[in-house]
Each structure stands twice: as C-alpha cells, then as structure tokens.
Amino acid sequence: MRLETARLVLREWREADKPLYAKIIGDPVVRRFFVQTGTLADASIGIDRAMDRLRDVGFTFLAVERKADQAFMGMLGMAPLSDTLRATIAGAPRVEIGWQLGQEFWGQGYAPEGAQAMLDFAWWKLRLTEVVAITYQGNTPSRRVMEKLGMIYDANADFLHPDVPEGHLLRNHVLYRIANPVLSG
Ligand SMILES: CC(C)(COP(=O)(O)OP(=O)(O)OC[C@H]1O[C@@H](n2cnc3c(N)ncnc32)[C@H](O)[C@@H]1OP(=O)(O)O)[C@@H](O)C(=O)NCCC(=O)NCCS
C-alpha cells in the first residue's frame, strides 16, 4: 500500500523505521496527551502489528515520508477499532483514522494532507461507509486535524478510554465522524 500527496508519501513500514519511530513516541512533548511515552520495543511491536493488519484487512497505519528530502515524519493511517473500544463507543464504529508526527513537522498542514489521501482511499477503494477519529478531549491539535477534514464531533459519543487508568484525566475521550461522500451521493 502506498499513497502520495503533493508533499508526502504514505508507505509500508521498513525495519529501519523502528528506531526513528521510537524516537517520536519516546518524546514526552509528542506524547503529552498519552499516559506514557513509548519505547523501541513498543515501536517495533506497533510496526509489526501494522504490517500484519495490512495483510489481514487491506489498510493500516502507514509510515509517513516527506517527498522533498525523504525525511521520516511519523505515522498516519487507519485501523479497525478493537472489540473493547467498539463495545465502549456509541454505535460501535468500525474503522478509525489516526496520526502521530515528529515535532519538527508540526504546524505545516502535513497531517490533514496525508489524512485526506487516506480518507479518499477509504471512500473510493475500500468503499467504507464511515470513518471515525478519537482523541483525548484536550488534544486540540488532533481535534483541529479532524475539523479540517470535515469530520463532525459527536457530542453524544464522549467516552472514557478503557485503556487509560480509572480516575485519570486523559481517560476523557471525544469522537469525530465522517461518512463516505461518494456512497451518500
Ligand atoms: C496532531 C498532529 C498529528 C497534527 O499534525 P500537523 O501536521 O501539525 O497538523 P496541522 O499543521 O494541521 O496543525 C493542526 C493544529 O496543531 C496545532 N499546532 C500547530 N503547530 C503546533 C506546534 N508547533 N505545537 C503545538 N501545536 C501546534 C494547532 O492547533 C493547529 O491547528 P491550526 O492549524 O488551526 O492552528 C501533531 O500535532 C502530532 O503529531 N501530535 C502528537 C501526537 C498526537 O497527539 N496524535 C494524535 C493522537 S489522537
């Protein structure tokens, strides 16, 4: 799987990406809305799982590269929601879109650009009916990306993330939805 935009390539993962992605998820600023930072082992497991998922379902969280200099920028893509999350969220949505870039790439519209290409793939190639995005309610940058994509905040679908410890502020999550504009006419 490979998607291209004006400035980005979204591609399958390589072994060499693992330490680079570990640096991003190990950055406490990147992870300020997560319960903890990630390790090299986390990056490795996540990347292997992403490649397995691509084989299983035909889409996944991909590596993001900048065309101009081939810089590795982070992760962006789609994945099926876990059974636990589906059981927690109103309407049991099926597929989420998500993103995580290194700090030096923020604020240049890269995430919305890559995510729009991913949504176009979801609409035209996969013919999905809906894609959702979830985040901690205070993650304004991520919510801005959702809004730029035309995703709609579902105020009835706020939820407590089951993977975040009870009583933790970061448990409070919000959900944004977007329906397939191709199928809906
Ligand atoms: C969320 C994220 C992918 C956005 O990527 P991006 O390519 O910077 O997206 P944009 O350029 O469209 O900027 C989106 C918003 O980020 C915020 N932002 C921009 N530059 C920023 C910076 N240097 N520092 C902090 N926030 C910044 C702004 O709120 C911006 O909205 P605006 O364009 O209306 O001002 C990126 O911030 C990120 O990787 N964050 C850490 C990981 C994360 O939280 N992922 C989401 C988990 S649900």
Side-chain angles (χ1 to χ4, degrees):
M1 183 175 176
R2 181 185 165 91
L3 301 176
E4 273 193 45
T5 70
R7 296 180 293 170
L8 307 174
V9 174
L10 275 54
R11 59 158 174 80
E12 293 179 24
W13 295 91
R14 302 174 186 144
E15 278 300 308
D17 298 327
K18 288 181 175 176
L20 303 175
Y21 190 51
K23 208 170 151 212
I24 292 175
I25 65 174
D27 179 343
V29 177
V30 171
R31 299 286 279 197
R32 66 199 185 288
F33 301 123
F34 290 72
V35 179
Q36 55 197 17
T37 53
T39 63
L40 177 59
D42 294 327
S44 184
I45 291 165
I47 287 171
D48 290 345
R49 194 176 291 150
M51 290 307 293
D52 288 345
R53 196 181 292 124
L54 178 59
R55 280 183 283 275
D56 291 346
V57 300
F59 58 90
T60 195
F61 293 131
L62 292 170
V64 186
E65 209 173 82
R66 185 162 54 193
K67 271 186 182 172
D69 55 4
Q70 281 93 50
F72 174 82
M73 302 168 66
M75 172 281 282
L76 193 154
M78 293 187 308
L81 281 150
S82 69
D83 290 345
T84 318
L85 271 174
R86 293 192 70 217
T88 307
I89 301 173
R94 290 188 178 281
V95 177
E96 69 163 325
I97 188 165
W99 32 71
Q100 194 153 216
L101 303 180
Q103 268 190 70
E104 63 269 41
F105 304 107
W106 293 357
Q108 297 163 71
Y110 287 132
E113 181 175 323
Q116 187 57 60
M118 187 61 65
L119 285 179
D120 290 340
F121 181 80
W123 306 151
W124 291 97
K125 291 274 195 283
L126 302 172
R127 313 298 282 185
L128 299 183
T129 53
E130 182 192 60
V131 173
V132 302
I134 62 175
T135 193
Y136 162 60
Q137 68 176 22
N139 191 340
T140 305
S142 196
R143 294 182 69 159
R144 284 292 302 136
V145 175
M146 296 170 198
E147 287 161 5
K148 289 178 189 187
L149 292 167
M151 302 186 83
I152 307 294
Y153 168 55
D154 181 347
N156 295 315
D158 288 355
F159 67 101
L160 298 175
H161 201 298
D163 296 342
V164 179
E166 271 182 49
H168 200 299
L169 179 69
L170 293 176
R171 239 185 157 212
N172 297 296
H173 272 59
V174 292
L175 178 99
Y176 284 67
R177 301 177 185 278
I178 188 166
N180 188 332
V182 180
L183 296 181
S184 56

Short mmCIF file of all heavy atoms in Angstrom, two decimals, residues 72-95:
data_model
loop_
_atom_site.label_atom_id
_atom_site.label_comp_id
_atom_site.label_asym_id
_atom_site.label_seq_id
_atom_site.Cartn_x
_atom_site.Cartn_y
_atom_site.Cartn_z
N PHE A 72 11.82 10.80 7.37
CA PHE A 72 10.77 10.01 8.04
C PHE A 72 10.07 10.95 9.02
O PHE A 72 10.71 11.56 9.87
CB PHE A 72 11.39 8.81 8.77
CG PHE A 72 10.37 8.07 9.60
CD1 PHE A 72 9.53 7.13 9.01
CD2 PHE A 72 10.24 8.31 10.96
CE1 PHE A 72 8.58 6.45 9.76
CE2 PHE A 72 9.29 7.64 11.72
CZ PHE A 72 8.46 6.71 11.12
N MET A 73 8.74 11.02 8.93
CA MET A 73 8.00 12.01 9.71
C MET A 73 7.15 11.40 10.82
O MET A 73 6.77 12.10 11.76
CB MET A 73 7.06 12.79 8.79
CG MET A 73 7.78 13.49 7.65
SD MET A 73 6.60 14.10 6.41
CE MET A 73 5.74 15.35 7.35
N GLY A 74 6.77 10.13 10.69
CA GLY A 74 5.91 9.54 11.71
C GLY A 74 4.91 8.58 11.11
O GLY A 74 5.19 7.92 10.10
N MET A 75 3.72 8.55 11.71
CA MET A 75 2.70 7.55 11.37
C MET A 75 1.37 8.22 11.03
O MET A 75 1.01 9.24 11.64
CB MET A 75 2.52 6.64 12.60
CG MET A 75 1.38 5.65 12.54
SD MET A 75 -0.25 6.35 12.89
CE MET A 75 -0.20 6.46 14.66
N LEU A 76 0.68 7.65 10.05
CA LEU A 76 -0.67 8.13 9.74
C LEU A 76 -1.41 7.00 9.02
O LEU A 76 -0.83 6.33 8.16
CB LEU A 76 -0.59 9.36 8.83
CG LEU A 76 -1.86 10.18 8.63
CD1 LEU A 76 -1.52 11.62 8.27
CD2 LEU A 76 -2.80 9.60 7.60
N GLY A 77 -2.64 6.77 9.41
CA GLY A 77 -3.37 5.72 8.72
C GLY A 77 -4.68 5.36 9.37
O GLY A 77 -5.20 6.12 10.19
N MET A 78 -5.17 4.20 8.99
CA MET A 78 -6.47 3.73 9.51
C MET A 78 -6.32 2.32 10.04
O MET A 78 -5.48 1.55 9.56
CB MET A 78 -7.51 3.69 8.39
CG MET A 78 -7.86 5.06 7.86
SD MET A 78 -9.22 5.00 6.68
CE MET A 78 -8.68 3.75 5.54
N ALA A 79 -7.18 1.99 11.00
CA ALA A 79 -7.19 0.63 11.56
C ALA A 79 -8.59 0.31 12.06
O ALA A 79 -9.34 1.22 12.44
CB ALA A 79 -6.19 0.53 12.70
N PRO A 80 -8.93 -0.99 12.09
CA PRO A 80 -10.20 -1.37 12.71
C PRO A 80 -10.11 -1.07 14.21
O PRO A 80 -9.06 -1.26 14.82
CB PRO A 80 -10.28 -2.88 12.48
CG PRO A 80 -9.23 -3.21 11.48
CD PRO A 80 -8.19 -2.16 11.58
N LEU A 81 -11.20 -0.61 14.79
CA LEU A 81 -11.23 -0.39 16.24
C LEU A 81 -11.26 -1.74 16.95
O LEU A 81 -11.87 -2.70 16.46
CB LEU A 81 -12.46 0.43 16.62
CG LEU A 81 -12.31 1.92 16.34
CD1 LEU A 81 -13.66 2.54 16.02
CD2 LEU A 81 -11.68 2.63 17.52
N SER A 82 -10.61 -1.81 18.11
CA SER A 82 -10.61 -3.07 18.87
C SER A 82 -12.03 -3.38 19.36
O SER A 82 -12.87 -2.48 19.47
CB SER A 82 -9.68 -2.94 20.08
OG SER A 82 -10.24 -2.04 21.00
N ASP A 83 -12.26 -4.65 19.67
CA ASP A 83 -13.57 -5.05 20.19
C ASP A 83 -13.89 -4.28 21.48
O ASP A 83 -15.03 -3.88 21.71
CB ASP A 83 -13.59 -6.55 20.48
CG ASP A 83 -13.58 -7.37 19.19
OD1 ASP A 83 -13.84 -6.77 18.12
OD2 ASP A 83 -13.28 -8.57 19.25
N THR A 84 -12.88 -4.08 22.32
CA THR A 84 -13.09 -3.36 23.58
C THR A 84 -13.56 -1.93 23.31
O THR A 84 -14.51 -1.45 23.94
CB THR A 84 -11.76 -3.30 24.39
OG1 THR A 84 -11.12 -4.55 24.31
CG2 THR A 84 -12.01 -2.88 25.81
N LEU A 85 -12.91 -1.27 22.37
CA LEU A 85 -13.31 0.10 22.06
C LEU A 85 -14.70 0.14 21.43
O LEU A 85 -15.53 0.99 21.75
CB LEU A 85 -12.29 0.76 21.13
CG LEU A 85 -11.14 1.48 21.83
CD1 LEU A 85 -10.13 1.96 20.83
CD2 LEU A 85 -11.65 2.65 22.66
N ARG A 86 -14.96 -0.82 20.54
CA ARG A 86 -16.28 -0.84 19.88
C ARG A 86 -17.39 -1.04 20.90
O ARG A 86 -18.47 -0.46 20.78
CB ARG A 86 -16.34 -1.95 18.82
CG ARG A 86 -15.41 -1.67 17.64
CD ARG A 86 -15.69 -2.61 16.49
NE ARG A 86 -16.96 -2.30 15.87
CZ ARG A 86 -17.81 -3.19 15.40
NH1 ARG A 86 -17.54 -4.47 15.49
NH2 ARG A 86 -18.94 -2.82 14.86
N ALA A 87 -17.09 -1.84 21.92
CA ALA A 87 -18.10 -2.10 22.95
C ALA A 87 -18.32 -0.86 23.83
O ALA A 87 -19.36 -0.71 24.46
CB ALA A 87 -17.67 -3.28 23.81
N THR A 88 -17.33 0.04 23.85
CA THR A 88 -17.38 1.22 24.71
C THR A 88 -18.05 2.41 24.01
O THR A 88 -18.70 3.23 24.66
CB THR A 88 -15.93 1.63 25.11
OG1 THR A 88 -15.27 0.50 25.66
CG2 THR A 88 -15.93 2.77 26.11
N ILE A 89 -17.86 2.50 22.70
CA ILE A 89 -18.27 3.71 21.97
C ILE A 89 -19.66 3.55 21.37
O ILE A 89 -19.98 2.52 20.77
CB ILE A 89 -17.25 4.02 20.85
CG1 ILE A 89 -15.85 4.23 21.45
CG2 ILE A 89 -17.68 5.26 20.07
CD1 ILE A 89 -14.75 4.39 20.40
N ALA A 90 -20.46 4.62 21.49
CA ALA A 90 -21.82 4.62 20.96
C ALA A 90 -21.81 4.27 19.47
O ALA A 90 -21.04 4.84 18.69
CB ALA A 90 -22.44 6.00 21.16
N GLY A 91 -22.67 3.33 19.07
CA GLY A 91 -22.80 2.97 17.66
C GLY A 91 -21.75 1.98 17.19
O GLY A 91 -21.76 1.58 16.02
N ALA A 92 -20.82 1.57 18.07
CA ALA A 92 -19.78 0.58 17.75
C ALA A 92 -19.14 0.81 16.37
O ALA A 92 -19.23 -0.04 15.48
CB ALA A 92 -20.35 -0.84 17.83
N PRO A 93 -18.48 1.99 16.19
CA PRO A 93 -17.87 2.27 14.87
C PRO A 93 -16.79 1.25 14.52
O PRO A 93 -16.22 0.61 15.41
CB PRO A 93 -17.24 3.66 15.06
CG PRO A 93 -17.08 3.83 16.53
CD PRO A 93 -18.17 3.03 17.17
N ARG A 94 -16.51 1.10 13.22
CA ARG A 94 -15.62 0.02 12.79
C ARG A 94 -14.18 0.45 12.56
O ARG A 94 -13.26 -0.28 12.88
CB ARG A 94 -16.16 -0.59 11.48
CG ARG A 94 -17.42 -1.35 11.70
CD ARG A 94 -17.88 -2.11 10.46
NE ARG A 94 -19.08 -2.87 10.78
CZ ARG A 94 -19.09 -4.02 11.42
NH1 ARG A 94 -17.97 -4.57 11.81
NH2 ARG A 94 -20.23 -4.62 11.69
N VAL A 95 -13.98 1.63 11.93
CA VAL A 95 -12.63 2.00 11.48
C VAL A 95 -12.26 3.39 11.97
O VAL A 95 -13.05 4.32 11.85
CB VAL A 95 -12.55 1.96 9.93
CG1 VAL A 95 -11.18 2.41 9.45
CG2 VAL A 95 -12.85 0.55 9.42
#
